Amino acid sequence: MGEVTPCPPAPPELREQTLVLVKPDAVQRRLVGDVIGRFERRGFKLVAMKLLQVPELQEGRGYVCGYPCIIAPRCHQADRGLLDRHYQHLQQKPFYPALLAYMTSGPLVAMVWEGYNVVRSTRAMVGDTDSAQAAAGTIRGDLSMHVSRNVVHASDSVETALREIGFWFQRDELVAWESGDSQYTYG
Ligand code: ADP
């Protein structure tokens, strides 16, 4: 048997990654497939995905996820502060408590997408934070009406993406795979 030559790894510029969250309003409205479809059709590569319910913080009681807990208090401590870390820059905003309530109101889908300029392209696909300002054709411009229920989150810079992916995923939850179509998507 001849020696097997492993595929050369994709160049670093094709391996940029970003975090996308399909927020609880979108899961409830059955929009997960629509959001995923847009990133797939654009040509980005899905490298991690999970559906999760972020536990709700109840005053004086810590996070309460509603499921019987077999490893308490460790599992709740593991999740404790996930949204506080993710939305650290917004903690002083008047809408922050409402944002936490919204983000813990139901399951959400966390995903990591990979590809050339994925952070910048994804932000363009997502559209303005305020749905009323978001251009038609963007996810928020097509699927949402109000800033407080704006369907998706996407990292706003490569540095933020690295940090946010670390908040939501363990390293071994990311799958490195070579897609057969990169010669058609990148030339
Ligand atoms: P983006 O999600 O576009 O990166 P920000 O980081 O500024 O925007 O805000 C994070 C999230 O906080 C928004 O996506 C939205 O869900 C919520 N948010 C921002 N501004 C407001 C507001 N004025 N009222 C209610 N919710 C808001």
Side-chain angles (χ1 to χ4, degrees):
M1 271 249 278
E3 222 172 83
V4 178
T5 314
C7 293
E13 67 271 21
L14 303 191
R15 282 188 276 129
E16 186 176 300
Q17 295 180 338
T18 197
L19 177 84
V20 173
L21 302 177
V22 184
K23 294 177 173 180
D25 53 327
V27 174
Q28 296 293 334
R29 293 173 56 206
R30 315 295 197 267
L31 296 175
V32 176
D34 186 322
V35 173
I36 291 175
R38 289 171 186 242
F39 292 109
E40 285 198 324
R41 286 196 298 278
R42 186 75 188 262
F44 292 120
K45 189 166 73 175
L46 183 64
V47 295
M49 178 164 76
K50 59 186 169 189
L51 176 79
L52 71 158
Q53 163 84 53
V54 181
E56 181 189 350
L57 179 61
Q58 293 190 352
E59 203 62 48
R61 292 182 56 201
Y63 285 87
V64 180
C65 63
Y67 290 98
C69 187
I70 52 166
I71 53 166
R74 269 183 37 228
C75 76
H76 289 152
Q77 280 172 351
D79 282 338
R80 198 178 181 100
L82 173 60
L83 288 171
D84 286 336
R85 288 193 291 280
H86 179 82
Y87 281 133
Q88 201 168 11
H89 62 296
L90 298 175
Q91 283 183 25
Q92 303 311 319
K93 299 281 186 192
F95 59 80
Y96 189 66
L99 177 60
L100 280 188
Y102 160 49
M103 294 297 288
T104 57
S105 65
L108 54 78
V109 177
M111 308 183 284
V112 178
W113 289 92
E114 183 178 285
Y116 181 68
N117 268 336
V118 70
V119 171
R120 198 146 55 96
S121 301
T122 296
R123 289 289 288 191
M125 289 168 71
V126 163
D128 198 284
T129 306
D130 181 355
S131 309
Q133 304 288 337
T138 63
I139 294 172
R140 289 169 173 165
D142 287 350
L143 304 176
S144 71
M145 290 190 289
H146 195 272
V147 65
S148 68
R149 297 289 183 272
N150 61 3
V151 173
V152 281
H153 164 83
S155 308
D156 63 7
S157 72
V158 174
E159 294 71 33
T160 312
L162 274 174
R163 217 174 40 249
E164 290 181 347
I165 290 168
F167 294 156
W168 292 87
F169 288 93
Q170 307 289 332
R171 270 180 92 89
D172 63 4
E173 291 179 299
L174 271 65
V175 177
W177 59 285
E178 294 302 322
S179 70
D181 68 354
S182 52
Q183 60 177 311
Y184 298 103
T185 42
Y186 295 117

